[in-house]
Amino acid sequence: MLGILGGMGPLATAAFYRKVVERTPADADQGHLPVIVWADPGVPDRTAALLSEGPSPLPALVEGARELRRAGATCIAVPCNTAHAYVEQVTRVTGVEVVDMVEAALEQAARSARGVRRVGVLATRGTRAAGLYERAGARLGLAVVQVPDEAQSAYVDPVIRAVKAGADMAGAARRIAAATRVLEELGAQVVVAACTEIPLVAGEAARVLPMVDSAEALADRVVDRLWRPSRQEFVPGYGNGRVISCPRMDAQERTGPNLRR
């Protein structure tokens, strides 16, 4: 059973659950993963904490993880890049496995094109300060490129605030495209949208450089980690005006809209 430790922010959490559903190769409701969502928008701001400008979110994250574990979650996905600065502590305190979003995103970036060595990252100041992508990139043999501080202030920070507020989404899309052009000039071959708000306005940016959605990468890894085809799946059928069921034994012969991409 998957536990989603969310609320950071609420819209990104809802979008992440949809990504999990879309990537699950099920052709009936019963084929999808059982999921528990703990969405607490009251978790203190992760970036403020990492910049020593606010309280730590760790107690709230630990409490959420414990609630998910008590509800039956066997592993947890945290669709917030900045919160990954705390997931090792969450795992140590609660004993619950947390799927690594940062590593999943960088591995997907490396697979996105031949010869990728320089990966641009669009992230919060907290993610940057924690060095999450730099450390993971070093393990994977990838150079991580960040926008300069002035571009972070002019483009990335306002976009994250705008999406959280649900305001000026068109302007946010233009700013993220501009930030992506800066990364292109710095030699990035592909870009990771390393804040779960950014993919919601990244359509124009994806025409500048290939864009990896860190939330999609996490959803892919979750499905790989948890989903298994059942040996006998029942799908609805109809006969003589009454609803019947028939067993589908070969889970590989699947069709429908929820095929993994």
Side-chain angles (χ1 to χ4, degrees), residues 10-119:
L11 185 58
T13 300
F16 173 71
Y17 180 41
R18 178 170 185 146
K19 293 176 196 299
V20 171
V21 172
E22 289 174 341
R23 280 158 173 72
T24 302
D27 52 14
D29 292 349
Q30 293 75 18
H32 286 272
L33 292 173
V35 176
I36 306 166
V37 180
W38 178 269
D40 179 9
V43 175
D45 187 272
R46 284 66 59 198
T47 291
L50 290 167
L51 298 179
S52 301
E53 297 173 355
S56 172
L58 183 59
L61 294 173
V62 167
E63 177 59 25
R66 284 175 170 158
E67 290 291 344
L68 289 169
R69 183 177 185 179
R70 282 193 285 266
T74 53
C75 77
I76 290 175
V78 184
C80 172
N81 284 270
T82 313
H84 276 66
Y86 301 94
V87 296
E88 288 186 8
Q89 294 166 281
V90 170
T91 295
R92 187 161 56 247
V93 171
T94 65
V96 182
E97 174 193 357
V98 179
V99 182
D100 192 331
M101 181 182 205
V102 174
E103 184 179 81
L106 282 175
E107 287 183 350
Q108 190 169 113
R111 294 192 302 267
S112 65
R114 182 184 295 274
V116 170
R117 289 293 178 266
R118 291 177 65 81
V119 179

Side-chain angles (χ1 to χ4, degrees), residues 81 105-106 109 119-123 133 190-195 210-214:
N81 284 270
L106 282 175
V119 179
V121 172
L122 296 171
Y133 276 83
V190 61
V191 175
V192 173
C195 173
M211 179 77 67
V212 171
D213 179 344
S214 58

